[in-house]
Amino acid sequence: MPSAITLIRSSSLTDAAEYAYAATAPAEARLIFLAGSCPLNEDGSTAGVGDFAAQATKCIENMTVALAEAGADISDVISTRVLVASARQSDLVTAWDVVRDAFAGHDVPSTLLGVTVLGYDDQLVEIEAVAAVQD
C-alpha cells in the first residue's frame, strides 16, 4: 500500500536538519495518534536502565508494535517528538541517532527535547508519534 504522507523539505532553510521540515496527509487519510512510547518491558520494568541508546531502541520497538496494532508501520509516521531526560546535548544526540537510524530514509518532521524527568522509574527516553494511513 502506498504511503499516505508526503514529506516536505525546504531549499530556503538549513540543510543541517536530519529530517523533513513538514509533512502532509490527504484529507481521506486516517490519523493515528500514539501515546508516548516508553522503554518498558512486558513485565512493566524499564529496559536499558542508564542507557539512552538502549531505551530509545526499546521505545522504537514498542512504537512499532503499537503502529502494527493500529494497521500501520514506521513508514506511515508523519511526525515524532523525542523526549530525553537529560540536560546534556550528547545524551539527546545518542537517543536521536537511534531514532534516525530506525526511520532511515523516512525522515519525518521531528522535535528533540531535553526534559527534567519522565513518568517511569529510571526512564530516560520517550517517543511520541502521529501516523497517517489510507485504508
Side-chain angles (χ1 to χ4, degrees):
M1 171 174 23
S3 177
I5 68 173
T6 301
L7 299 179
I8 300 167
R9 290 160 180 81
S10 174
S11 60
S12 301
L13 298 170
T14 180
D15 61 358
E18 297 175 351
Y19 49 83
Y21 279 96
T24 63
E28 66 275 9
R30 176 171 55 93
L31 296 179
I32 302 165
F33 297 89
L34 283 80
S37 177
C38 300
L40 299 179
N41 297 310
E42 277 190 42
D43 66 2
S45 63
T46 302
V49 173
D51 185 333
F52 291 93
Q55 287 201 8
T57 298
K58 186 63 175 175
C59 289
I60 292 290
E61 290 172 6
N62 289 342
M63 181 179 68
T64 301
V65 170
L67 284 166
E69 291 181 3
D73 63 40
I74 205 164
S75 68
D76 297 311
V77 171
I78 194 168
S79 69
T80 66
R81 181 176 298 127
V82 181
L83 310 172
V84 182
S86 178
R88 292 177 24 162
Q89 186 179 31
S90 62
D91 295 334
L92 277 69
V93 170
T94 296
W96 174 250
D97 286 344
V98 171
V99 174
R100 185 188 63 219
D101 289 349
F103 277 83
H106 186 64
D107 56 345
V108 300
S110 299
T111 300
L112 176 63
L113 298 168
V115 299
T116 56
V117 66
L118 291 166
Y120 291 98
D121 291 341
D122 301 312
Q123 182 182 359
L124 300 172
V125 180
E126 187 163 334
I127 303 171
E128 297 177 8
V130 176
V133 296
Q134 288 182 300
D135 294 322

